[in-house]
Amino acid sequence: MYRHSILLALGLLAAGVSHAQDTAPANTEHPQPHTASSLASEPRLLSLPAAISLALEQNKTLAAARKEIEAVEATIIQAGARPNPEFSALMEDFRKSSRTTTYQLTQPIELGGKRSARIEAAQRTREMALLDYAAKRTEIRAGVIAAYYEVMVAMERQRLAKELLGLAKTSADMTSRRVTAGKISPVEQTKARVAESSAQLELHQADSDVLLAQKKLATFWGSVGNAFQLTDGGVESLPALPSIAQLTEKVAAGPAVQLAQLEVERRRALARIETSKRTPDVTLSFGNKRDESNARNMWVVGFSVPIPVLDSNKGNELEALKRVDIARDELSIVEVQMQSEAAQSFERLRNAREEAVALRNEIVPGAQSAYQAARTGFELGKFAYLDVLDAQRTYFQAKAQYWKALSTAFQAAADLDRLAGNETPSTE
């Protein structure tokens, strides 16, 4: 009886498990494709810090620089390796009664600091790889900042072009009604339609500029699409103008100058390697010799030293020393070049800031007021449509010049951050 009860319980348990397995997929299978499709259709919200982090994580140039550091670390291991010992066997006379067999172990001994000079040169190379990686991070960060604001400025220009198209359509409709009423010449209607077509072309160009700017930004993290949406709205907050004294000091110790300084140190280490080769190495030998004719074994001990008469390595040493001088000259060139680029970027930033402030505070509001007055006067019949077109063109040219000044300011600030090695952009 108990046996039948146990079998019945096991059967009910197996049926319950089977029913659960049959119904479980039905509850979880359908929502997943819907969720995936909804996520794929939604653009990613991207702030400037998120864009920088994404680029620093997925940029292939930085990945290659990290692998270069690992490769250079392997050269340090190899630079510290000592010469391998050698084993040799020598047999004299093939007759067994008079044969002599010598087994010998030879070990080269490096003198003159060759090993330490190799290690030092490899360490300088590793420091250069680390600094080059840091410089690439700063460069990519500056590039992302410039590209990010380039997208924002392009989007503002797109919005401006849409506004221009709307105004052009409104003006064309107003002109058409006035022509129908017989108040103005049909030539004015033709001008209005031409202006509308021009605004439509400008909108197409603005759409293309936004697409290209988004793709340029996406290339920093290895993407070719533009499935993201920018979240920052502070595009009109101008980047801060640094102190010229602090900027000069930072650029003098920037990544490019430090790399040139490390190159001088690396060349000096390589020159020390060539200088150390003037000291000949000693080779120690130790072995055993078997003399069959006398039926005895003999220990063999010896050493060998090359005589640097025909080759004293003077040519390689002189070449290495000259390359040290070349590295010093290149360091001087880099210092002057970086200061010159910093000065140019500083002037670009200062001029762009002044231009943007003047346009934002005076020119654009004045042009906008004149355009609104001309439009109102045109609606009341006091101004010709040509006056409206001139005021409209002046207003939108001022707005476009304002956004161009903003873009120039952000690009110049990004260049200054790259030259100075700043990790975070400065704004005000």
Side-chain angles (χ1 to χ4, degrees), residues 307-333:
I307 303 174
V309 176
L310 302 178
D311 182 11
S312 60
N313 203 46
K314 287 184 178 181
N316 291 334
E317 183 182 4
L318 181 59
E319 178 190 1
L321 293 174
K322 291 299 180 182
R323 295 196 181 278
V324 173
D325 296 335
I326 293 174
R328 289 198 190 99
D329 294 338
E330 291 176 349
L331 172 60
S332 301
I333 294 173

Side-chain angles (χ1 to χ4, degrees), residues 248-294:
T248 302
E249 182 179 355
K250 287 184 177 181
V251 172
V257 177
Q258 293 184 30
L259 275 173
Q261 291 173 347
L262 282 177
E263 177 63 17
V264 174
E265 297 297 327
R266 190 179 74 90
R267 288 295 178 182
R268 287 175 178 170
L270 294 176
R272 282 191 287 271
I273 292 177
E274 299 300 331
T275 302
S276 66
K277 292 180 180 180
R278 298 181 61 181
T279 302
D281 297 335
V282 177
T283 302
L284 301 180
S285 302
F286 179 78
N288 185 270
K289 182 176 182 180
R290 172 65 180 178
D291 189 356
E292 296 293 345
S293 60
N294 297 321

Side-chain angles (χ1 to χ4, degrees), residues 109-164:
I109 305 296
E110 290 184 317
L111 301 177
K114 297 181 180 64
R115 180 171 174 270
S116 61
R118 288 198 308 270
I119 294 176
E120 183 181 359
Q123 289 175 345
R124 297 290 87 79
T125 305
R126 179 179 180 273
E127 293 175 3
M128 290 184 63
L130 289 172
L131 186 58
D132 182 65
Y133 173 73
K136 282 184 171 61
R137 281 178 59 92
T138 306
E139 183 178 353
I140 289 174
R141 178 186 294 271
V144 170
I145 294 171
Y148 190 90
Y149 282 108
E150 186 176 346
V151 173
M152 297 191 73
V153 170
M155 292 176 64
E156 290 293 332
R157 288 176 178 171
Q158 183 186 45
R159 183 189 62 80
L160 191 64
K162 290 179 180 179
E163 183 181 351
L164 174 62

